[in-house]
Amino acid sequence: MLFRSAQIKAGLMRGAFLGLDALNAEMYLVPYGSSLNFMPSYKGMVKLAQKYSTREIKTIYAKVVRDGDQFEEVIDHGEPSINFKAVPFNNADIIGVFAVCQYKDGGMVYEVMSKADVEQCRKSSKAKNSPAWQGFWSEMAKKTVLRRLCKNLSIDMDAKAAEAFDSGLEFENDIREQAKNEIAENANKEELIIESESVD
């Protein structure tokens, strides 16, 4: 399908408002129906978090967890941390993903998602069957958990940048698809009603 130059220009402009470079794979233009939609990549999400965070970030990243890897969430004296040791060259099935943001002042926040959690997000996206999900599931999963982590960061964007960023999230989080999936999942579930006997 051929797209009009105006659609391509509009998508590139949305990325430009955020400071993302299409040639550096920091954003994508994803076709959906007859439209072309802006979407930040994993690399783009990292760049946006570092650029717009009100708290200076030391490092921010996401990793996939495969069967056989060592993964542990720890809370010691109220301080959360993650212990992760990947098996070298592990090609086993992915069982989850996590994202970590470490601040220069020593603070840290993180987010964890199971494979099922990621799949639920994918099914709620208009781009759920896109070449990106079909061919690069692990990269899309890392971006998904990173995006969820970014919701917990303090971000300061101007109006135009915020509008461009929100347009990318709206494309990836279709409210109608989310509702449809929730209805389908709960359709065959029966409520368990326990009747108690009254005792005189």
Side-chain angles (χ1 to χ4, degrees):
M1 177 180 290
L2 296 177
F3 294 97
R4 296 179 180 177
S5 60
Q7 287 183 309
I8 298 173
K9 183 179 179 180
L12 293 175
M13 286 297 292
R14 288 185 185 277
F17 281 130
L18 295 170
L20 299 182
D21 184 358
L23 296 178
N24 197 30
E26 294 172 354
M27 58 164 286
Y28 304 115
L29 297 179
V30 182
Y32 179 73
S34 61
S35 63
L36 201 59
N37 300 271
F38 158 77
M39 188 170 71
S41 66
Y42 167 76
K43 186 187 292 187
M45 292 295 294
V46 169
K47 183 175 181 178
L48 292 176
Q50 292 175 325
K51 180 177 181 179
Y52 291 104
S53 175
T54 58
R55 194 173 170 188
E56 197 169 2
I57 293 175
K58 178 181 179 181
T59 183
I60 183 169
Y61 60 88
K63 298 284 185 183
V64 297
V65 182
R66 296 181 180 272
D67 194 16
D69 293 341
Q70 295 179 20
F71 178 82
E72 182 183 27
E73 291 182 71
V74 179
I75 298 179
D76 186 15
H77 296 90
E79 292 295 325
S81 64
I82 285 181
N83 294 329
F84 176 64
K85 185 175 182 180
V87 174
F89 311 109
N90 188 0
N91 290 320
D93 291 340
I94 295 173
I95 59 175
V97 288
F98 68 94
V100 174
C101 175
Q102 292 180 312
Y103 295 106
K104 288 192 175 180
D105 60 16
M108 184 193 84
V109 291
Y110 70 90
E111 187 70 42
V112 176
M113 296 178 72
S114 67
K115 184 176 181 179
D117 292 334
V118 175
E119 274 296 292
Q120 183 62 35
C121 288
R122 182 188 68 82
K123 291 175 183 177
S124 300
S125 169
K126 291 180 180 178
K128 59 186 175 183
N129 296 317
S130 69
W133 276 111
Q134 297 292 333
F136 306 96
W137 194 95
S138 62
E139 289 302 305
M140 293 296 287
K142 290 195 296 183
K143 192 186 78 164
T144 300
V145 72
L146 184 64
R147 186 175 65 233
R148 183 170 288 189
L149 173 69
C150 286
K151 291 180 180 179
N152 296 322
L153 306 182
S154 179
I155 302 294
D156 183 20
M157 292 181 173
D158 60 38
K160 284 188 176 181
E163 181 184 357
F165 181 69
D166 289 342
S167 71
L169 294 186
E170 286 172 6
F171 176 66
E172 293 187 76
N173 295 276
D174 189 343
I175 302 300
R176 290 172 298 180
E177 287 291 330
Q178 290 177 8
K180 187 194 303 180
N181 292 332
E182 288 177 6
I183 291 171
E185 284 187 1
N186 295 314
N188 297 320
K189 292 182 180 178
E190 297 180 1
E191 286 189 19
L192 179 62
I193 301 175
I194 302 176
E195 296 181 0
S196 61
E197 296 182 0
S198 60
V199 179
D200 293 333

